[in-house]
Amino acid sequence: PAAGRMDAAMLEGVEWDSESEDGDAAAAAAGGASKKDNGNRQVNDLGSMMSKIGAESDFAWTTEHILLCRLISLYGKCATRPGGNESWIRATPLNVLIYECIAAGVLDFDYAPALTDVSYLGATKKVWLNLSQEAATSIDELRMNGLVRAVRMYTVDYKSVTAYQVSDVGLKMLKVVPNALFDELKHIVYVPDKDNTYSDKLQISWDAENEVFSLRSGKTGYTRPSTVTEIEDVSYVCSPFIPVFLRRGMEVATNNRKRATEAAEGRSNIADAEMMEAIALGEVRLMVVEWVPFGENNIVTMAQNLGVMDRTKKGMFSEKVDKKPCDTILKIPAGLTQVRVLDFDMMHFVNVEAEICYPEDEGIVQVEFFGIHVSTRGYVIFGLHIDSIMTRTADSVPIDLLTRMAVDVVQDTSKILGDMMSSHQRETMKMIFQGFPEKRKKFACYIAKSINPWYASSAQYLDRGDTENEIAQIIGPVRFGKDLGNKHFLFMGTLGLLCVGAKSYEYDAFLVPYCSLQAMMLMAAQVYDRFNHIIQMLDEAMGLTEQPDSDPYSVQRVQYLVAQSGTELGFMDVTVAHLADSIDRALMPPEPWDQISINIYAALKCRMWQTNVRKRANALRELIVASKRKLVFLRLYTDSINQHGLLKKAEAMRDDAKNLHRETVWAHRVSQMAWIAMVFTILLLSYRLLDLYRWGTFSCDVSPMYRQEVERFSFWDRIYNYTDPPGGIYSYQCAWVNDMQYMLQGTPFLLSFITVPFAIVVAFGGYYLSWLWAKRSGKTIPNAFKGWIVRRDLQTWGRISHTVHVNARIRVDRFEGEYLRRRRVWHTRNNFGSLVYLPGREASYIQVAWSESGPVTWLGLAPVVTAAYCRETGALSRVQFRVYKRLSGLNVGELWGVLQRQWIEAGVPV
């Protein structure tokens, strides 16, 4: 629609009714409610405003264009002056904000679920998001008119991302637009407060664990979760469908048309109650096509598991692994697949009908029956005929409801195929899709007999407006549309195609080969993305090999990267080999027979797509060869890294040993210094004790020698002359003191010969007494000082214990009488319990410990032996040896043999 004209007064700040169009001005003035116009609320004379800022355009601007431009400008805008700051907003956060605006009624767009890549911390995950195709189209229109700019980048895992910002032209346009238009938008973007200050802008954050987006404030901590990841369910009824040219049997599939009214009895959880309905399709058949690495062995195994040779060719299936097949009761969660075999060729294909029995939300009614065709070529086709969706019957299915149903079908088909595949195939798919095989893209083929509204040309549907946006919801961005003739149309998209016409069912033999080739292209693209991950791991490992000392765990990390890369390359090699084989045997369309089939054949260009897929497969093979060469080269580097790691560990052990030796030597020196200090202290003590006779004892008075100063050189340096006390008598009470003094004076050096041995004896005695006190305090020597002279350091001699369980009988009288009498018995413990039950009396449990003698017999220090036996019955339970391995010449196994020989000589054994 053409843009209207805007009064000059509105440019001066007069309040602007942006919610009404030219034709609705009178109704709005009369108090009439504005109607939902599906994103086409036209701005009054934005064209004149654009001309005033120097941007002439004949484009029909709407309110949604301005709101989108303003939303982008809040997070991303260009620099307004040289050297100024500029910012960009990424596409995924922008889509979350757009959804929040749609849910709040600020933007008048529709949304539909779409599988989107979300990159977080170097890893990309596919997530279902509610995206608006109308918003994407409006952003493209803003870019084409120069109001918004975009930049493309790559993430660390080689995923393409887009960011947007408002250009200087867009900023000039926003300045001439009344601010009152953005009040509702501010309530979404800013943290709500009582004064409406709009000062705390919300940021988009991603919770990878719960797969939820949130709007968070970095200032106040305000958080509001977004429902953009909540996929809406609808009630529907469908029947299984497999193209006729793929059938080989006469088994009729189930027809659920009579159950179509059950969908009307169910409900949905769609939040937007006023969905726009631009296109409705009639008698829709949906085929979801994907390529999976199947081969003849896989098909045979699947056919046997499905029971194709059984009398009853149906059953329930689950992907759960039975880890306890011998148990009686089997418990598995709800959600099984009922499969019925229609026809098969054991070495080529299997056609089955599957009923989905997965639990749904309360009130949701989904009668799901799929037709499944699995071929050795690798392509898997899930076909269904839509009987009803909600209250809409098969002859009028709106695309908005069809989109939500298609999302549920894509999710359920992944679960169905997972139940039917082998564990090796599930592991391969898990590796290719980075651990999330249930969220993989598939090619969809929609075949409808009618379309409403019915235009004369396909170009009328591709109007960059509502009809094209709705078609893009189910098949992705539209590549082209073609008139097939006789009111038949074909629309091609990136993720599907739509064929419309009264006779469209007859041309599925042309559509299925094209869909299978597109499924191969999707798989080739996914394999190439996975190669980027492998190359990233190899590059990381190569970087670690160049700098092995940069990370203490570099060796372990390189080993993990090499092992993981080798494993993934093995899976990729098998997958690409299957893909190349499938391309050579790819299903091709038949010869066309009328003008419509000729046009379809010319539009699909299956031969060209087969060549393109073959080229991609060959390129993937070259990548595998190059990656394997790099892996071999990296393994050689890994060996050197391992040797380097061992060398570093050896050096670390050497350094530790040096440090330990240094600490041991230092500790030994400190102990020596302490011992020397202790010896000097004891020497001083001994000299002091010997000198006590000069000063008397408790019973003797001793007169000191008379000291007279002879000469003084300084205060410290003096010469004294010592003389005997008067009369030469040192003690009147003890005559021996006088004799001792005269003897010392008459015999030179006699005092030294007496004091030095005395000091040495006192020093060594003090040392051993201190050692004994320390050992007794730490409880590291036997009780009652037994053997402490010979075994003064148990840690030095290495005491070990060895127990022998005998369970034999002995003669107690000879053992206690003759044998133990000649040994030193340390202790005997009685009544430790009943060892053997005797009728009428209780048996005593005896435990006796003794020291053996005879270093010649025991080839060194004899052990301490403990025996446990019953005195009444003579039952010997066990014998325990305690020996010092560095002082004994026998090992623990030979001790029992020596003891047995001594017992035999004493007659102890029975």
Side-chain angles (χ1 to χ4, degrees):
R5 293 297 172 185
M6 184 177 183
D7 297 336
M10 288 189 176
L11 294 177
E12 300 176 358
V14 180
E15 189 171 354
W16 182 28
D17 183 12
S18 62
E19 298 293 327
S20 61
E21 299 181 4
D22 294 338
D24 296 336
S34 61
K35 297 185 295 181
K36 186 178 180 70
D37 46 18
N38 306 315
N40 290 324
R41 295 177 290 177
Q42 192 172 338
V43 176
N44 296 329
D45 202 12
L46 183 59
S48 63
M49 287 192 275
M50 298 296 292
S51 63
K52 289 186 178 183
I53 63 175
E56 295 287 347
S57 177
D58 295 333
F59 185 75
W61 297 98
T62 64
T63 307
E64 273 62 33
H65 288 97
I66 300 176
L67 291 174
L68 274 178
C69 189
R70 177 57 177 168
L71 179 61
I72 296 174
S73 70
L74 292 174
Y75 294 89
K77 56 184 177 182
C78 65
T80 57
R81 63 182 183 278
N85 296 325
E86 65 178 18
S87 57
W88 300 79
I89 179 172
R90 295 178 176 86
T92 301
L94 178 59
N95 288 326
V96 176
L97 290 172
I98 290 174
Y99 169 79
E100 292 296 321
C101 292
I102 296 174
V106 178
L107 291 176
D108 197 5
F109 290 141
D110 280 343
Y111 60 84
L115 199 57
T116 310
D117 290 331
V118 176
S119 297
Y120 181 73
L121 297 179
T124 300
K125 189 175 183 179
K126 293 190 180 296
V127 182
W128 289 100
L129 299 180
N130 291 316
L131 303 182
S132 174
Q133 188 63 40
E134 290 91 340
T137 302
S138 298
I139 293 175
D140 291 339
E141 292 167 350
L142 291 173
R143 292 178 58 192
M144 288 187 296
N145 288 275
L147 275 70
V148 172
R149 296 188 295 183
V151 61
R152 291 186 179 274
M153 298 167 292
Y154 286 96
T155 61
V156 293
D157 55 344
Y158 304 99
K159 295 293 183 181
S160 176
V161 294
T162 306
Y164 302 97
Q165 72 170 193
V166 176
S167 64
D168 54 349
V169 178
L171 293 177
K172 293 178 181 179
M173 182 270 292
L174 293 175
K175 290 181 180 180
V176 300
V177 176
N179 291 327
L181 181 63
F182 309 129
D183 289 343
E184 294 181 354
L185 181 63
K186 293 178 181 178
H187 287 291
I188 303 299
V189 176
Y190 291 93
V191 175
D193 55 6
K194 296 180 180 179
D195 300 330
N196 293 329
T197 58
Y198 305 121
S199 59
D200 191 2
K201 190 185 303 180
L202 294 172
Q203 304 294 325
I204 306 301
S205 64
W206 167 246
D207 185 358
E209 182 178 356
N210 299 319
E211 296 188 1
V212 174
F213 281 99
S214 299
L215 286 75
R216 297 179 180 271
S217 168
K219 298 180 180 179
T220 61
Y222 172 83
T223 303
R224 185 173 73 242
S226 176
T227 58
V228 69
T229 56
E230 296 181 3
I231 306 303
E232 300 166 342
D233 290 330
V234 295
S235 299
Y236 61 89
V237 177
C238 62
S239 300
F241 158 71
I242 298 178
V244 177
F245 76 97
L246 297 176
R247 295 291 306 273
R248 295 295 183 271
M250 303 300 295
E251 186 74 20
V252 180
T254 303
N255 189 351
N256 293 321
R257 183 58 61 92
K258 59 180 182 240
R259 303 179 58 183
T261 57
E262 295 182 16
E265 300 174 359
R267 62 179 183 87
S268 69
N269 53 12
I270 299 178
D272 189 2
E274 300 181 2
M275 288 190 304
M276 179 189 65
E277 183 178 325
I279 295 179
L281 303 177
E283 299 296 336
V284 182
R285 284 181 175 177
L286 170 60
M287 288 186 292
V288 178
V289 185
E290 65 174 325
W291 188 89
V292 178
F294 271 99
E296 283 76 7
N297 294 325
N298 299 116
I299 289 294
V300 172
T301 303
M302 176 181 288
Q304 293 175 352
N305 293 335
L306 292 175
V308 296
M309 305 302 295
D310 297 342
R311 177 175 299 178
T312 303
K313 296 181 176 57
K314 63 180 179 179
M316 307 287 286
F317 290 90
S318 174
E319 65 176 354
K320 300 298 180 182
V321 178
D322 189 4
K323 298 181 179 180
K324 298 180 180 179
C326 294
D327 290 356
T328 305
I329 304 300
L330 174 64
K331 295 182 180 180
I332 55 176
L336 301 177
T337 304
Q338 176 77 34
V339 177
R340 181 169 68 96
V341 180
L342 299 179
D343 50 77
F344 66 94
D345 186 335
M346 185 69 77
M347 295 294 295
H348 296 90
F349 70 91
V350 176
N351 290 327
V352 299
E353 170 188 306
E355 178 185 0
I356 309 304
C357 304
Y358 301 140
E360 301 291 343
D361 295 339
E362 183 179 359
I364 303 295
V365 177
Q366 293 181 352
V367 181
E368 296 181 90
F369 282 76
F370 297 159
I372 305 176
H373 173 80
V374 183
S375 172
T376 54
R377 298 184 176 96
Y379 59 83
V380 182
I381 301 175
F382 302 90
L384 55 96
H385 190 105
I386 301 175
D387 297 311
S388 63
I389 302 180
M390 301 299 294
T391 58
R392 310 301 290 269
T393 57
D395 55 354
S396 179
V397 178
I399 287 186
D400 276 330
L401 295 178
L402 182 61
T403 303
R404 288 160 174 80
M405 174 189 169
V407 172
D408 190 70
V409 170
V410 170
Q411 293 176 340
D412 291 344
T413 52
S414 299
K415 296 179 182 178
I416 295 172
L417 193 60
D419 294 341
M420 299 171 60
M421 288 191 302
S422 64
S423 59
H424 177 73
Q425 287 177 301
R426 286 195 292 267
E427 191 68 23
T428 302
M429 296 295 287
K430 185 177 180 180
M431 185 277 304
I432 294 175
F433 292 95
Q434 302 180 8
F436 303 97
E438 68 279 359
K439 296 179 181 178
R440 56 183 184 266
K441 291 183 179 180
K442 303 174 185 179
F443 198 82
C445 176
Y446 297 86
I447 306 175
K449 285 189 174 183
S450 62
I451 183 173
N452 185 26
W454 197 292
Y455 294 141
S457 173
S458 61
Q460 294 179 267
Y461 292 97
L462 306 181
D463 58 351
R464 291 187 176 274
D466 299 335
T467 55
E468 182 177 353
N469 291 333
E470 288 213 351
I471 293 175
Q473 287 182 4
I474 58 176
I475 65 174
V478 182
R479 293 175 177 171
F480 66 89
K482 186 174 181 61
D483 298 329
L484 303 177
N486 195 17
K487 298 181 179 181
H488 285 70
F489 307 113
L490 179 65
F491 301 96
M492 307 296 300
T494 57
L495 295 176
L497 64 84
L498 172 62
C499 184
V500 179
K503 298 167 57 179
S504 58
Y505 287 179
E506 301 176 8
Y507 306 106
D508 52 8
F510 295 88
L511 302 178
V512 170
Y514 175 81
C515 294
S516 63
L517 291 172
Q518 293 301 316
M520 293 181 188
M521 288 292 288
L522 291 176
M523 177 58 71
Q526 183 62 38
V527 171
Y528 180 75
D529 288 342
R530 194 58 180 171
F531 262 116
N532 291 330
H533 176 69
I534 296 176
I535 293 173
Q536 182 182 6
M537 289 194 297
L538 293 177
D539 291 341
E540 181 184 356
M542 187 64 70
L544 291 175
T545 57
E546 294 175 355
Q547 298 178 350
D549 298 332
S550 60
D551 188 350
Y553 300 101
S554 59
V555 176
Q556 293 84 347
R557 180 63 179 171
V558 169
Q559 291 174 348
Y560 167 77
L561 292 174
V562 170
Q564 187 68 19
S565 301
T567 302
E568 294 189 7
L569 276 176
F571 282 111
M572 303 291 276
D573 195 4
V574 174
T575 302
V576 173
H578 278 291
L579 183 62
D581 182 67
S582 300
I583 295 169
D584 296 334
R585 299 186 298 159
L587 184 64
M588 288 290 111
E591 292 295 330
W593 58 83
D594 58 5
Q595 188 61 40
I596 296 177
S597 60
I598 291 174
N599 293 334
I600 294 177
Y601 188 92
L604 297 180
K605 301 178 182 179
C606 290
R607 296 292 180 183
M608 182 196 73
W609 283 106
Q610 184 185 24
T611 303
N612 293 340
V613 178
R614 184 180 290 110
K615 290 179 179 179
R616 294 203 67 171
N618 293 334
L620 291 175
R621 281 181 169 176
E622 295 176 359
L623 279 177
I624 290 177
V625 173
S627 299
K628 286 184 176 180
R629 289 175 180 172
K630 191 172 184 178
L631 185 61
V632 171
F633 183 70
L634 187 60
R635 282 173 176 167
L636 297 177
Y637 262 75
T638 305
D639 295 338
S640 63
I641 287 296
N642 293 336
Q643 295 176 1
H644 179 76
L646 292 176
L647 179 61
K648 296 294 290 184
K649 289 183 178 179
E651 292 178 353
M653 293 177 64
R654 182 192 62 188
D655 295 339
D656 293 340
K658 285 183 177 180
N659 294 333
L660 182 60
H661 175 70
R662 188 183 300 112
E663 294 294 333
T664 304
V665 171
W666 177 250
H668 180 66
R669 289 179 179 176
V670 170
S671 63
Q672 285 181 337
M673 294 171 63
W675 184 83
I676 293 173
M678 182 180 64
V679 168
F680 273 106
T681 303
I682 296 176
L683 287 175
L684 293 176
L685 177 62
S686 62
Y687 278 109
R688 181 60 179 168
L689 291 175
L690 289 175
D691 197 50
L692 284 178
Y693 81 94
R694 295 178 177 271
W695 309 104
T697 61
F698 290 105
S699 60
C700 301
D701 275 339
V702 178
S703 299
M705 296 182 69
Y706 178 74
R707 186 178 68 176
Q708 182 181 4
E709 183 177 338
V710 177
E711 187 176 359
R712 177 184 296 186
F713 299 97
S714 64
F715 179 80
W716 304 103
D717 191 5
R718 301 180 185 183
I719 297 177
Y720 293 95
N721 186 19
Y722 290 89
T723 59
D724 294 333
I729 300 175
Y730 289 88
S731 177
Y732 291 97
Q733 297 177 351
C734 299
W736 64 269
V737 174
N738 298 318
D739 298 337
M740 186 73 175
Q741 184 64 26
Y742 293 143
M743 183 180 61
L744 292 176
Q745 291 179 1
T747 307
F749 304 105
L750 178 60
L751 182 62
S752 300
F753 285 110
I754 294 175
T755 56
V756 170
F758 179 77
I760 293 175
V761 172
V762 173
F764 278 95
Y767 170 74
Y768 280 107
L769 287 175
S770 63
W771 174 86
L772 182 61
W773 178 261
K775 293 299 181 179
R776 289 293 296 169
S777 300
K779 298 181 179 179
T780 56
I781 64 174
N783 295 329
F785 304 102
K786 54 179 181 288
W788 70 275
I789 296 178
V790 179
R791 298 181 291 269
R792 67 176 184 273
D793 196 345
L794 304 183
Q795 291 80 9
T796 302
W797 307 124
R799 185 181 67 179
I800 59 176
S801 298
H802 177 64
T803 302
V804 179
H805 295 277
V806 182
N807 294 327
R809 295 188 65 188
I810 61 175
R811 293 184 176 90
V812 179
D813 53 348
R814 294 190 178 182
F815 175 71
E816 295 181 350
E818 298 181 8
Y819 187 79
L820 291 182
R821 189 179 302 169
R822 302 174 183 176
R823 271 75 179 171
R824 182 179 180 183
V825 179
W826 293 109
H827 60 83
T828 303
R829 300 179 183 179
N830 301 323
N831 298 325
F832 265 51
S834 178
L835 183 67
V836 179
Y837 175 74
L838 297 176
R841 57 177 176 170
E842 181 180 1
S844 298
Y845 181 77
I846 305 300
Q847 182 171 326
V848 59
W850 71 92
S851 293
E852 289 289 341
S853 61
V856 177
T857 305
W858 297 96
L859 300 181
L861 184 65
V864 176
V865 186
T866 302
Y869 62 96
C870 179
R871 178 168 292 173
E872 284 76 8
T873 62
L876 179 63
S877 174
R878 66 179 183 273
V879 176
Q880 183 184 38
F881 298 90
R882 284 182 296 173
V883 65
Y884 301 93
K885 60 182 181 181
R886 297 182 183 178
L887 300 178
S888 175
L890 301 175
N891 57 39
V892 293
E894 297 171 341
L895 296 174
W896 173 237
V898 175
L899 185 63
Q900 278 184 312
R901 288 194 295 270
Q902 292 189 359
W903 281 5
I904 292 174
E905 293 176 358
V908 174
V910 175

